[in-house]
Amino acid sequence: MPYIRHESLFTLQELYEMEQKDRFKAIFSAIDIAPFLRLVRKKSLYGAPAQVNYTAMIYSLFVRIIERIPTIKDLIKRLQHDILFRLDCGFMLSEAIPSSASYSRLVRKISQSNALEEIQEQLLKQALAEGFIKDDTIAIDATHIEARDQAPVKTEKEKPEPKKRGRKSKAEREAWLKQKQEEDEQKPIFEKEIAAQLGEPFHVLQDQMPLDPQWGVKKNSDGKNVFWYGYKGHLAVGTQSQYILGAMLSSGNLNDGKAAIPLLKGIRFQHPGFKFKYATMDAGYDYVPIYKQIREAKAYAVIAYNRRREPELEGFDEYFAPTCVREHSYRYDSYDPKYDTLKYVRPKECESCPLADDSLCQKIYKMKITTDFRKYTAPARGSKQWKEIAKRRSAVERVNAYLKEFFQLNNVRHRTGQKAGVHFNLVTLVYNCMKLVCDRLSRQLQEQVA
């Protein structure tokens, strides 16, 4: 029996089992904190020197996520009582440990800048350059994040004045339509239809993303509604490498589909060299503008179909494949990218059918996917290849579970959405950093074995 040498992999569990000093050193080496230091450096050469070791403070914020320390007060307490932990974070024995107020001021400065996004972008570029991100499929999904504060007391709304009965006159209707159009134009971008996002650049969508905590609702596995007060985290994940390629935080009441286009535009804007072939999502993202945005990225959408009280199409099956006279579904054969055409061939049942040579039974059907982006995708809905790609969506659900269980995603300790965004971005940055460290150590093991 021949001997097969398996690939050596270094996992997150093995990273946690390393000695604390070596683990911290490997993680810190993968993060360039220069954007953070630019926020806190002195503006002038004159005046008293800085009394705080900001480098160690920034590293300790990463360590709080890695070591699952719940609060800043607990972090300060451990820095004061654990000498080795203090040294491994970068503090000297002669230095005073910063206070909670110092950490709060640091977090406020970070929340008012794009330093975290800049570091995340640099880290992903490094992972791309080293060949660790080679995904041809990305998966997008959202997860709920509970806020620290309780929901405010619900205030009763004033009852609107009763509407005038009867049909409006022509002048009244025109005035009403004009008023409605003006109101729609003045709405924020995320209160408009999803199609309005197609013409907006990424930085506009990023800046206007609502961040205040709100009530959210979703259906659990039993089909029952689950309510929470807080936020939603939206992730775009490489299905093979499981790196977080895009991440955004929003209010808990934002529709999942309204975050898909900003994520797709963010990947294209921040990583123009990264190309993916498929984007897979659940039925909550089944909107035509999302299909169009994926097509603009020269990729194909694999999104579960969401039937919105639509009648069944005669002559087509549940996957919108044509059917023969005896209602047997035609089989998906191939896709022609030149003409954006799906090719369907006769079903197997036609071989013994007496109508096989009849003019009613067509041998080949061709369907352009541009006729309806939701119904016709490449590969065709219901095909074996489509189902295999759709299964890759579990990668983003797995990453969401990792972030909540091991990286404190659901442990928001801030009262405002802006600072909650710092926590969210810090969690995703630490996760990507640890993925990069594991991939580097795995490559070193492979080189040693070879």
Side-chain angles (χ1 to χ4, degrees), residues 122-188:
Q122 292 174 359
L123 189 143
L124 288 172
K125 285 181 179 179
Q126 189 64 32
L128 283 164
E130 296 181 23
F132 296 129
I133 302 178
K134 298 179 180 179
D135 303 272
D136 69 338
T137 307
I138 63 169
I140 293 178
D141 200 6
T143 186
H144 70 281
I145 303 170
E146 295 183 3
R148 179 184 179 186
D149 291 344
Q150 293 183 349
V153 179
K154 187 176 181 180
T155 57
E156 294 185 1
K157 296 182 180 179
E158 296 182 1
K159 293 183 179 180
E161 296 181 2
K163 295 182 180 179
K164 182 181 177 182
R165 298 182 64 181
R167 183 180 295 179
K168 293 182 176 68
S169 64
K170 186 176 181 181
E172 288 177 340
R173 178 170 176 77
E174 290 178 355
W176 175 76
L177 289 174
K178 185 178 180 181
Q179 181 184 357
K180 187 178 179 182
Q181 183 179 1
E182 292 175 353
E183 290 176 355
D184 290 340
E185 290 175 353
Q186 293 176 359
K187 285 182 179 179

Side-chain angles (χ1 to χ4, degrees), residues 30 86 139 167 305 389:
R86 180 195 299 194
R167 183 180 295 179
Y305 194 80
I389 297 171

Side-chain angles (χ1 to χ4, degrees), residues 125 128 133 267-276:
K125 285 181 179 179
L128 283 164
I133 302 178
I267 293 174
R268 188 175 181 182
F269 176 76
Q270 295 170 346
H271 311 288
F274 173 72
K275 305 295 181 184
F276 59 93

Side-chain angles (χ1 to χ4, degrees), residues 181-315:
Q181 183 179 1
E182 292 175 353
E183 290 176 355
D184 290 340
E185 290 175 353
Q186 293 176 359
K187 285 182 179 179
I189 186 68
F190 285 96
E191 292 184 12
K192 297 180 181 179
E193 298 292 331
I194 296 179
Q197 299 178 2
L198 291 173
E200 299 290 343
F202 168 67
H203 64 87
V204 172
L205 298 176
Q206 185 183 35
D207 294 341
Q208 294 190 20
M209 178 70 74
L211 285 176
D212 54 314
Q214 297 289 344
W215 277 105
V217 58
K218 69 171 185 177
K219 289 189 180 294
N220 59 13
S221 57
D222 298 327
K224 296 181 179 179
N225 287 336
V226 177
F227 298 89
W228 79 96
Y229 180 74
Y231 312 95
K232 274 186 181 180
H234 307 270
L235 300 181
V237 173
T239 56
Q240 184 178 0
S241 67
Q242 294 190 19
Y243 278 88
I244 299 174
L245 303 173
M248 301 188 81
L249 186 74
S250 74
S251 301
N253 62 350
L254 186 74
N255 184 294
D256 290 358
K258 290 190 175 182
I261 292 177
L263 285 172
L264 291 166
K265 288 192 173 187
I267 293 174
R268 188 175 181 182
F269 176 76
Q270 295 170 346
H271 311 288
F274 173 72
K275 305 295 181 184
F276 59 93
K277 191 174 181 181
Y278 302 106
T280 178
M281 309 169 206
D282 61 23
Y285 297 86
D286 184 29
Y287 296 95
V288 173
I290 297 177
Y291 290 90
K292 290 182 178 180
Q293 183 62 41
I294 295 172
R295 288 281 295 172
E296 189 176 338
K298 298 181 180 179
Y300 302 100
V302 178
I303 303 175
Y305 194 80
N306 185 10
R307 295 188 178 274
R308 302 184 178 96
R309 298 180 181 179
E310 300 170 11
E312 293 185 4
L313 291 176
E314 293 185 3

Side-chain angles (χ1 to χ4, degrees), residues 52 54 57 72 76 97-109:
V52 179
Y54 285 109
M57 280 185 70
I72 293 293
I76 294 172
I97 301 302
S99 63
S100 298
S102 297
Y103 276 101
S104 179
R105 286 191 292 270
L106 177 61
V107 171
R108 186 177 68 251
K109 288 181 178 179

Side-chain angles (χ1 to χ4, degrees), residues 386-414:
W386 189 94
K387 291 179 179 179
E388 288 177 353
I389 297 171
K391 288 179 182 178
R392 300 176 192 172
R393 195 181 63 82
S394 62
V396 66
E397 296 175 346
R398 195 177 305 116
V399 172
N400 278 328
Y402 287 158
L403 297 183
K404 286 189 173 182
E405 187 171 356
F406 301 110
F407 294 88
Q408 303 191 74
L409 179 59
N410 215 16
N411 183 29
V412 176
R413 310 300 301 180
H414 306 288

